[in-house]
Amino acid sequence: MEIKVFKNYQEMSEGVAKLIINQVINNPQSTLGLATGSTPIGLYQQLIKDHVENGTSYKNVRTFNLDEYIGLSKDHNQSYFYFMKEQLFNHIDISLDNVFIPDGGTHDVEAECDAYNQKLSQSPIDIQILGIGTNGHIGFNEPGTPFDSVTQKVELVEGTRKDNARFFDSMDEVPTHAISMGIKNILDANVVILLASGKNKADAIKTMVEAKPHVDCPASALQNHPHVIVYVDEEAASKLSK
Ligand code: GLP
């Protein structure tokens, strides 16, 4: 695992944006794995800025998102599909035909998961962007998820629902389940970039990097991947031993 420590969130976001922009320029048909949460927003803003100023094109780029809440349709303003449109897709020239996000509004969750796994197997991810939960989750793979899991229905733990409640009007509205790409799908990506910012991520980052890989910290599975780069600000890196 390579660890890159940046002074602050802005510099971290600019650093990772450079890498993604280079990837898209070098291979305009790239497949990117994308994440939601507040952490990648700065990255998406940099991609939009570069698209507007330098014309980097996403016309032939495909994207796969990690996860989606079950019970929220695509047009629900808290769905991850809506988030991605607002934060990125509406502001670049990507075709929505090339955008893949599990459909949380489906009546057949199992079929949706199978179809997502199928699509992922046909379109290997060049670079997967990840955030991390305060409990070490990646995507919505909570502690205890086997490292060989693939896209499936998952139950959100109380802490994750509380962490994400800030985006909803009340705790009752936070969904209890999601569809999440599994840890194996994430490990199948060619390159994995994990982003973390702020003191509240420092424990999760330390465990991910320094503890023996264990299902208690889903992100520690990344230690088994040959090409992971962790982009952190000084606060998120503050508990690392060296
Ligand atoms: C959610 C998402 C994760 C994300 C995490 C952290 O649980 N499913 O993919 O990494 O939030 O979010 P934030 O970046 O807002 O701290």
Side-chain angles (χ1 to χ4, degrees):
M1 251 185 214
E2 187 185 345
I3 320 273
K4 289 181 185 267
V5 183
F6 294 81
K7 221 165 85 206
N8 53 41
Y9 177 73
Q10 178 68 17
E11 289 186 14
M12 177 192 88
S13 303
E14 287 169 6
V16 71
K18 273 189 206 142
L19 185 132
I20 300 294
I21 292 162
N22 279 337
Q23 169 71 30
V24 171
I25 290 173
N26 292 333
N27 177 7
Q29 307 210 341
S30 293
T31 299
L32 303 177
L34 300 180
T36 50
S38 5
T39 312
I41 291 178
L43 158 66
Y44 297 152
Q45 286 172 350
Q46 292 300 317
L47 298 184
I48 294 166
K49 184 167 179 275
D50 165 74
H51 170 71
V52 171
E53 289 175 2
N54 306 317
T56 305
S57 176
Y58 295 79
K59 233 187 288 178
N60 296 311
V61 167
R62 301 182 121 209
T63 64
F64 283 87
N65 262 76
L66 285 166
D67 45 22
E68 180 60 282
Y69 289 117
I70 291 179
L72 304 191
S73 62
K74 284 178 184 234
D75 53 3
H76 189 287
N77 66 5
Q78 293 306 338
S79 75
Y80 283 162
F81 186 78
Y82 190 93
F83 173 98
M84 288 307 302
K85 285 216 302 195
E86 290 281 296
Q87 299 296 338
L88 182 64
F89 300 149
N90 284 348
H91 312 285
I92 57 175
D93 63 343
I94 197 161
S95 155
L96 286 184
D97 291 343
N98 291 337
V99 161
F100 299 93
I101 301 183
D103 178 6
T106 180
H107 293 297
D108 191 344
V109 171
E110 209 174 308
E112 180 65 16
C113 294
D114 289 348
Y116 209 65
N117 283 320
Q118 183 68 24
K119 272 181 225 144
L120 279 167
S121 67
Q122 289 159 356
S123 204
I125 291 176
D126 295 303
I127 300 186
Q128 173 68 55
I129 301 293
L130 290 180
I132 186 168
T134 50
N135 64 358
H137 76 217
I138 46 177
F140 267 134
N141 295 291
E142 300 284 22
T145 308
F147 288 175
D148 61 358
S149 56
V150 292
T151 308
Q152 60 179 343
K153 175 178 176 177
V154 296
E155 183 171 4
L156 307 182
V157 300
E158 204 55 17
T160 296
R161 293 185 66 236
K162 277 194 190 134
D163 281 350
N164 289 343
R166 65 188 191 278
F167 299 111
F168 294 82
D169 289 337
S170 74
M171 185 69 184
D172 291 347
E173 288 180 24
V174 186
T176 54
H177 291 81
I179 294 174
S180 180
M181 221 189 246
I183 295 177
K184 177 170 186 303
N185 300 121
I186 293 170
L187 295 177
D188 281 345
N190 215 8
V191 178
V192 177
I193 306 292
L194 185 135
L195 309 176
S197 160
K199 275 201 208 87
N200 64 331
K201 298 292 172 70
D203 285 319
I205 290 296
K206 184 179 173 64
T207 308
M208 169 184 85
V209 175
E210 296 179 3
K212 207 165 150 243
H214 192 280
V215 292
D216 286 349
C217 176
S220 68
L222 299 174
Q223 290 182 30
N224 301 329
H225 189 286
H227 197 168
V228 176
I229 316 176
V230 180
Y231 282 70
V232 273
D233 64 9
E234 285 177 359
E235 286 188 355
S238 61
K239 292 197 175 166
L240 289 174
S241 309
K242 47 184 167 77

